[in-house]
Amino acid sequence: MKWAIVIMALAVTGAPAVAKAPAVAKASAVQKADTADKVVIDDDFTTGPDTAVWSVGSARLDGSGRLVLGSMMRTTKTFGQAYGRAEVKVLMNRADEPWRAIGVVDGEGRSLEGTVDVLDASPVGGGAFHSYALAWTPTTITWTIDGHPVQRFTPVTKVPYSVVLGLGSGDRRSSGMVVDRVTVTVRVTVAPESAPRWRAFTAYTPGQFVEYDDVIYRVREKHTSLPGWQPTLVPDLFKKV
């Protein structure tokens, strides 16, 4: 008889209520990163190299608004962007060796390890200015002479690059390498003017943008946000842009 009463009571009152976990929402109105090519160096050396931009060994002006290198010089800053391009217009010996005109080293000035593939071994006439350029991607660096691909380098490890001019080109000629102009361009992320407001219990993926306290942040790692994980408190997950 007692068991019947207990069963009847459960039937009337039901099982105790269980609290439900908050539903995980997806970030709404997702905005992916836009990119743009940004010129970070555009130097014609009219007044000589800027020591805030270049680490210079031996260099002088030739009186015609051009820079003559007696030794190599490299950028004081490194470029860690995944994509970039550097171009220089120069007159030098060994005109068909593009790496002597322009190249890259690591932040300590050390050469990179990797493999070289020759794409075009056609001779390049000396005694004239040529445009040498290199373009890097996450996996390769490709040199061109006057717009024609001539050499590709595949580094063992991707590191931030320092751009070098005159790598080994000024040691056998008193006049060195004559530089007319150099430009360096990198691909950067452009933040949107607005983004969805950050919310807890929301699934975010890398590359998305969120707004918190009127500031735009880019999501760095895939995660589901929790209370207390605001962009200002977890820099490992969000980067201010």
Side-chain angles (χ1 to χ4, degrees):
M1 190 65 178
K2 291 181 180 180
W3 285 108
I5 294 174
V6 172
I7 293 173
M8 289 179 62
L10 288 172
V12 173
T13 61
V18 178
K20 294 183 178 180
V24 175
K26 290 185 178 180
S28 60
V30 173
Q31 291 180 285
K32 289 290 185 179
D34 291 326
T35 59
D37 292 333
K38 179 182 179 181
V39 177
V40 290
I41 294 177
D42 185 1
D43 206 336
D44 60 7
F45 303 111
T46 303
T47 58
D50 184 349
T51 55
V53 178
W54 299 97
S55 176
V56 186
S58 172
R60 62 180 176 83
L61 293 175
D62 69 351
S64 300
R66 297 185 177 117
L67 187 70
V68 181
L69 293 183
S71 63
M72 75 172 190
M73 71 177 190
R74 64 185 179 93
T75 56
T76 56
K77 295 182 179 180
T78 57
F79 306 101
Q81 292 83 359
Y83 297 86
R85 187 175 188 274
E87 182 173 1
V88 63
K89 186 176 181 181
V90 301
L91 169 66
M92 69 173 190
N93 284 338
R94 302 182 184 180
D96 53 358
E97 297 181 348
W99 60 271
R100 292 182 177 275
I102 189 167
V104 291
V105 293
D106 68 11
E108 301 298 324
R110 296 172 298 208
S111 300
L112 307 178
E113 295 184 3
T115 57
V116 177
D117 296 304
V118 177
L119 306 179
D120 187 350
S122 301
V124 178
F129 280 89
H130 294 280
S131 292
Y132 298 85
L134 63 82
W136 70 81
T137 72
T139 56
T140 62
I141 303 170
T142 302
W143 276 263
T144 61
I145 301 178
D146 297 329
H148 302 292
V150 294
Q151 184 173 292
R152 181 173 56 239
F153 179 73
T154 304
V156 173
T157 304
K158 176 69 170 67
V159 297
Y161 298 135
S162 175
V163 176
V164 180
L165 302 181
L167 186 61
S169 64
D171 55 347
R172 297 190 180 183
R173 179 181 176 188
S174 60
S175 59
M177 185 178 85
V178 184
V179 182
D180 185 70
R181 189 181 200 94
V182 61
T183 59
V184 178
T185 305
V186 296
R187 189 166 299 174
V188 297
T189 300
V190 180
E193 295 182 358
S194 62
R197 182 169 177 77
W198 178 89
R199 295 181 301 166
F201 305 110
T202 301
Y204 290 108
T205 58
Q208 291 177 322
F209 290 95
V210 298
E211 178 268 326
Y212 184 76
D213 280 350
D214 297 323
V215 177
I216 304 295
Y217 294 85
R218 185 173 70 248
V219 179
R220 306 181 69 169
E221 294 187 13
K222 183 178 180 180
H223 69 283
T224 297
S225 58
L226 296 174
W229 286 16
Q230 291 89 331
T232 53
L233 302 178
V234 280
D236 288 343
L237 299 180
F238 298 93
K239 182 177 180 180
K240 183 179 177 180
V241 295

